[in-house]
Amino acid sequence: MNIGLTGGIATGKSTVSRMLTSRGALLIDADILAREVMEPGHPVLAAVVERFGKQMLLPDGTLSRKKLGEHVFAHPGERQALNEITHPAIRTEIRRRMAEYEERYPDRLVVADIPLLFESGQQSMYEQIMVVYVPREIQLARLISRDGLDAVQAESRLASQMDIERKKELADIVIDNSRGIAETERQVDAFWTSRGLS
């Protein structure tokens, strides 16, 4: 069985993915794959430098994530250009790892943690979609606190993603992460048991 795990920025996807892996799930983390394709020597990084310029690199030849992030968040069209370079490579690697895990471990749950799952139209790749949810005002407060952003910056980050309420509507499974860690654990346990996972 596989699921796509998503949510919004600062809703707690990493917390829920850790809970699932601690119960035996196999995790494919799109954020880790996104970092891997941006390592020196990878053709995706070369394409990013060609599109956005060498000023996006640090002196040692690695990507300046901060500089690129600031650039694409300030220019929505540029974010789309970046996604068109990176998403196909990440999606291909997710598919490859899912197939490998499902062949080698047919009795284990495979979880693909993909922040922009809905935004990138990947729903059909998964048997079910789990959304980690918190109300938007909690999401905003957590983002400001976690990343040290001001309200305008945080709102800009939230605006770059599909609204969390819409993601909740589209989900097969919702984990409400706004009521404390014990309650989140209880919901993950209920999901795990209901699917006959052990």
Side-chain angles (χ1 to χ4, degrees):
M1 178 184 179
N2 68 64
I3 62 169
L5 174 68
T6 194
I9 190 169
T11 59
K13 290 184 309 302
S14 297
T15 298
V16 171
S17 70
R18 279 194 299 274
M19 291 176 182
L20 292 167
T21 55
S22 74
R23 288 161 172 79
L26 298 166
L27 180 67
I28 301 166
D29 188 326
D31 282 343
I32 290 173
L33 296 182
R35 284 194 285 278
E36 288 175 5
V37 302
M38 291 296 196
E39 289 174 0
H42 199 289
V44 171
L45 177 59
V48 167
V49 171
E50 186 176 325
R51 171 65 177 77
F52 296 97
K54 289 186 176 175
Q55 70 271 19
M56 295 299 168
L57 294 177
L58 295 168
D60 65 359
T62 59
L63 179 69
S64 171
R65 295 182 181 286
K66 185 174 189 299
K67 194 175 283 187
L68 183 61
E70 288 170 354
H71 178 76
V72 299
F73 275 109
H75 306 90
E78 295 288 83
R79 185 168 60 246
Q80 181 61 32
L82 178 63
N83 290 344
E84 287 171 5
I85 295 169
T86 59
H87 285 182
I90 295 166
R91 198 171 296 149
T92 297
E93 184 59 17
I94 289 170
R95 284 195 179 104
R96 188 193 71 72
R97 292 192 191 188
M98 272 177 48
E100 178 189 331
Y101 286 166
E102 289 176 340
E103 184 179 330
R104 290 176 62 189
Y105 309 102
D107 298 329
R108 307 262 302 267
L109 174 67
V110 179
V111 177
D113 181 343
I114 305 174
L116 300 177
L117 189 150
F118 290 120
E119 292 87 340
S120 58
Q122 296 184 55
Q123 302 92 300
S124 64
M125 287 175 58
Y126 306 99
E127 293 171 38
Q128 292 192 305
I129 307 297
M130 175 183 283
V131 167
V132 182
Y133 169 83
V134 298
R136 195 173 191 281
E137 62 273 12
I138 294 176
Q139 187 184 11
L140 187 64
R142 286 183 182 175
L143 181 57
I144 290 168
S145 173
R146 185 190 77 183
D147 293 1
L149 304 175
D150 63 34
V152 173
Q153 291 170 317
E155 287 282 5
S156 170
R157 297 285 169 101
L158 291 189
S160 73
Q161 298 185 347
M162 181 186 289
D163 183 77
I164 192 63
E165 297 297 336
R166 179 66 182 136
K167 290 185 179 184
K168 182 181 178 185
E169 289 170 9
L170 294 169
D172 300 299
I173 309 132
V174 175
I175 302 293
D176 186 333
N177 190 34
S178 65
R179 296 175 290 186
I181 205 80
E183 173 57 20
T184 302
E185 287 269 15
R186 187 199 65 73
Q187 293 172 68
V188 171
D189 272 335
F191 160 76
W192 197 262
T193 304
S194 71
R195 298 311 187 276
L197 299 162
S198 56

